[in-house]
Amino acid sequence: MLKIIFIVSSTFVVFWLAVSGSAHAQAFGNTPTDGNKTTNDFTAPGLNNIKLIEVSGAAEIRVKPTEIRLVLATVAEGTTANECQTASSQRVQKLSVDLQKIGIAQESIFEDFISILPIYEFEEMELKKFTVMKETLVRFRFQSNLHLKLTDNAQASRALRVAFENGITDIIAFDYWSPDLEAAKTEAFQKAIAAARAKAKIIFDSELFPEKLPMVNFTEEGRVIFPKDMYSSYQNTIEQSLTTSYNWRPDIPRLNAARPMTTYYRGPELTGESLSRELPMKPEISVVSKVNLYFDSPAALRHDNDDKNDDKK
């Protein structure tokens, strides 16, 4: 007796082939395959490589940032190491005072020393009747970063204005944070499980599976996507075509105009059952969870029954 059943859903395909009392079942998930072998090959112990049915669910929780870290680089140069360190300390101290004037507390300002580097320049000189260009130490460059803990974008904008007024324009980082990420991870995990269970209920409560299939395993993958990873950049220009004409001068160098990159907040690129319904209009932290539930296939149950009958004999 030959039975061939195809079951197709949004997340998996199951192929069941039973011939003369022997059974074999395979479940193909959404991961790439290598020939006839699936990469997510979960095999229950003792089932002789009989595949399982996989049902997945995914969920996303968006968390509003409550803290911002702004990192500014302060740089000073001097003919000696002590001189440039003193100059850097004066710049940092003045900037810290000005930041406190706009409401940023002293404990929210942290100075992080980065480096002090020598700067060399070439000097023409005579060496054993030869003219050479020799590197000579001329000054030092001192850098320290200032980490600012801010509450919102409005305060960050005021801090940037103060930094620019002090001649500091090197922005190292602009990061968002929230202390509620752990709670969001739990919520996303619960929603992902609920989505997978709802999908499994629709499939297994139908007439396609008259017997109850036990769940034998599950996997979960969670990740946090910060706003810095959800920006896209591209060059929005139209390149002119150069054609030969009467004023074409191949001997004259051409200096192209500056073409800055355009950057915008794209938001998360996710697929799943329980995603946020709001447009990505402002930077938010996305907490994502994906759950895979694995069930015994009808072929596995048939395999167990055959083993039990063989034991009785």
Side-chain angles (χ1 to χ4, degrees), residues 137-151:
L137 176 65
V138 292
R139 59 189 181 277
F140 291 88
R141 184 179 187 270
F142 187 97
Q143 177 182 344
S144 63
N145 293 343
L146 214 60
H147 294 243
L148 308 181
K149 180 182 177 182
L150 309 172
T151 56

Side-chain angles (χ1 to χ4, degrees), residues 24-307:
H24 184 70
Q26 287 185 331
F28 296 90
N30 288 333
T31 55
T33 60
D34 180 13
N36 294 324
K37 181 180 179 181
T38 59
T39 56
N40 55 343
D41 189 358
F42 281 82
T43 303
L47 290 186
N48 297 327
N49 206 32
I50 292 179
K51 306 299 188 300
L52 306 177
I53 298 174
E54 174 187 347
V55 181
S56 65
E60 176 207 13
I61 301 296
R62 292 186 187 175
V63 181
K64 181 180 179 181
T66 56
E67 297 174 342
I68 296 175
R69 183 186 66 155
L70 175 62
V71 183
L72 304 170
T74 62
V75 178
E77 294 186 2
T79 55
T80 65
N82 287 335
E83 181 182 332
C84 62
Q85 183 183 20
T86 300
S88 176
S89 298
Q90 292 174 350
R91 296 192 69 186
V92 170
Q93 184 177 3
K94 184 179 184 306
L95 178 58
S96 299
V97 171
D98 292 345
L99 290 172
Q100 292 177 57
K101 291 179 181 179
I102 62 172
I104 300 176
Q106 177 62 42
E107 55 268 22
S108 297
I109 304 174
F110 174 76
E111 182 181 2
D112 180 22
F113 167 73
I114 299 300
S115 64
I116 180 167
L117 300 174
I119 298 177
Y120 296 89
E121 290 182 358
F122 284 101
E123 180 184 359
E124 183 178 341
M125 61 183 302
E126 296 293 329
L127 181 62
K128 295 183 178 181
K129 300 181 181 181
F130 292 97
T131 301
V132 298
M133 300 293 291
K134 181 182 178 181
E135 282 189 323
T136 304
L137 176 65
V138 292
R139 59 189 181 277
F140 291 88
R141 184 179 187 270
F142 187 97
Q143 177 182 344
S144 63
N145 293 343
L146 214 60
H147 294 243
L148 308 181
K149 180 182 177 182
L150 309 172
T151 56
D152 52 30
N153 284 315
Q155 190 179 49
S157 179
R158 294 193 296 269
L160 285 174
R161 182 179 296 275
V162 170
F164 297 158
E165 291 173 351
N166 281 267
I168 297 174
T169 59
D170 196 355
I171 302 172
I172 302 298
F174 196 98
D175 301 324
Y176 293 90
W177 187 256
S178 172
D180 302 325
L181 293 182
E182 291 301 321
K185 291 179 184 178
T186 301
E187 184 180 355
F189 178 54
Q190 292 172 341
K191 286 191 173 184
I193 289 180
R197 291 183 62 184
K199 191 183 298 182
K201 180 177 176 59
I202 294 174
I203 297 170
F204 298 136
D205 285 356
S206 65
E207 297 180 355
L208 298 174
F209 293 93
E211 64 269 63
K212 183 177 180 180
L213 302 178
M215 192 182 84
V216 297
N217 202 352
F218 84 95
T219 61
E220 191 269 342
E221 178 186 359
R223 58 193 177 114
V224 179
I225 309 175
F226 290 95
K228 66 181 180 65
D229 298 320
M230 292 185 279
Y231 282 85
S232 290
S233 298
Y234 63 95
Q235 196 174 76
N236 189 20
T237 61
I238 298 178
E239 300 290 345
Q240 291 184 345
S241 299
L242 297 178
T243 58
T244 302
S245 62
Y246 67 92
N247 62 350
W248 176 259
R249 292 291 303 276
D251 57 318
I252 299 179
R254 281 167 170 74
L255 303 179
N256 294 330
R259 291 170 170 81
M261 299 293 289
T262 297
T263 302
Y264 78 104
Y265 180 66
R266 181 195 69 249
E269 295 181 337
L270 303 171
T271 58
E273 292 75 15
S274 183
L275 301 180
S276 176
R277 298 182 180 180
E278 298 181 2
L279 286 171
M281 301 297 292
K282 54 186 176 181
E284 292 179 312
I285 303 172
S286 287
V287 180
V288 183
S289 177
K290 181 181 180 182
V291 173
N292 298 313
L293 307 181
Y294 298 93
F295 299 85
D296 268 339
S297 68
L301 297 179
R302 182 185 292 273
H303 185 278
D304 288 341
N305 292 333
D306 290 343
D307 287 344

